[in-house]
Amino acid sequence: DIQMTQSPSSLSASVGDRVTITCRASQSINNFLNWYRKKPGKAPELLIYSTSTLQSGVPPRFSGSGSGTDFTLTISSLQPEDFATYFCQQTFSSPLFTFGPGTKVDIK
Amino acid sequence: QVHLVQSGAEVKKPGSSVRVSCKASGGTFSNSSIAWVRQAPGQGLEWMGGIIPIFDTPHYAQRFQGRLTIIADEATSTAYMELNTLRSDDTAVYYCAGVRFGELLRENWFDPWGPGTQVTVSS
């Protein structure tokens, strides 16, 4: 099974900060990596798919990069609605999928 | 645009079963793929299983094999998730999500998502 890790597990930041979250796979997953934002009491929202493709309607302050085993989600200027938990997801083993453990972004 | 509507909250006894529905609104399920994901209190997202028509059978995460059944009724554009032999640690919010495809078979992503169904297992 492909295992996913994320770092950090949590971080504190201020509005306007640049935030970077890392996701690592236990084996190469090419570029089959997605990112979701999850707010309490709400359904997850797709932000980025296939490592770097921005989902329609998602602000351009979100960007993704990486390949193989190491991937990054960057928020260029953190906004109040971005205080949430972020999850990566690998689809290399489709139709079996795995999420990372999440990175919680809270207010400094 | 397709929206997913899920059935309401459930309270179940340990050892019993729960069935959660997920209906597509504003579109159809024809040739659509559905995944089920849950989030237990204080925990992350956990993929449970799903149906992708290009594959013959539903696929389930190893830890739910034998306890989870996922079906899709294209006639009513409704998918169902049934989890048996419930335990207290099955208490969670259960989400359905559409599985989308890119050019490559493994190029998948989950969108849209249903609003979630709270399932509480308690004696």
Side-chain angles (χ1 to χ4, degrees):
Chain A
D1 290 6
I2 298 175
Q3 306 301 316
M4 307 299 292
T5 58
Q6 289 183 233
S7 61
S9 57
S10 65
L11 65 90
S12 296
S14 300
V15 172
D17 283 354
R18 181 181 182 88
V19 168
T20 298
I21 297 169
T22 297
C23 176
R24 177 165 289 174
S26 58
Q27 67 181 71
S28 176
I29 58 172
N30 290 357
N31 72 329
F32 300 116
L33 191 283
N34 306 323
W35 290 98
Y36 300 86
R37 178 176 64 184
K38 176 69 170 69
K39 299 176 186 177
K42 300 291 187 181
E45 308 166 76
L46 174 69
L47 299 174
I48 288 171
Y49 61 92
S50 300
T51 296
S52 60
T53 303
L54 203 63
Q55 168 68 343
S56 176
V58 173
R61 63 179 181 271
F62 292 95
S63 64
S65 64
S67 67
T69 60
D70 296 315
F71 302 86
T72 298
L73 172 70
T74 300
I75 309 172
S76 61
S77 178
L78 202 65
Q79 297 302 299
E81 60 268 31
D82 299 334
F83 292 100
T85 302
Y86 293 82
F87 294 91
C88 62
Q89 176 200 32
Q90 69 81 18
T91 69
F92 178 85
S93 58
S94 176
L96 307 179
F97 304 99
T98 315
F99 287 95
T103 295
K104 185 176 181 180
V105 177
D106 61 23
I107 301 172
K108 184 184 289 185
Chain B
Q1 186 170 348
V2 176
H3 295 276
L4 301 179
V5 179
Q6 296 185 224
S7 49
E10 302 265 12
V11 179
K12 294 292 185 180
K13 300 285 189 186
S16 66
S17 299
V18 68
R19 194 184 208 200
V20 179
S21 67
C22 171
K23 183 175 176 60
S25 169
T28 67
F29 252 42
S30 180
N31 294 321
S32 291
S33 304
I34 285 288
W36 288 89
V37 176
R38 75 178 187 181
Q39 186 176 36
Q43 303 300 308
L45 299 177
E46 179 176 30
W47 175 77
M48 300 177 67
I51 289 182
I52 297 178
I54 196 170
F55 300 101
D56 289 336
T57 61
H59 286 78
Y60 305 114
Q62 181 76 21
R63 63 176 292 179
F64 297 107
Q65 290 278 0
R67 209 161 66 92
L68 175 64
T69 302
I70 294 172
I71 61 173
D73 181 347
E74 289 196 7
T76 60
S77 295
T78 304
Y80 299 91
M81 182 281 298
E82 182 167 316
L83 189 61
N84 303 318
T85 320
L86 289 169
R87 307 184 293 252
S88 58
D89 62 358
D90 291 316
T91 294
V93 178
Y94 289 76
Y95 296 97
C96 62
V99 182
R100 304 302 184 190
F101 292 82
E103 294 184 359
L104 303 175
L105 189 59
R106 295 176 177 178
E107 194 177 9
N108 307 149
W109 54 92
F110 291 5
D111 184 74
W113 291 69
T117 296
Q118 174 69 52
V119 175
T120 303
V121 183
S122 174
S123 56

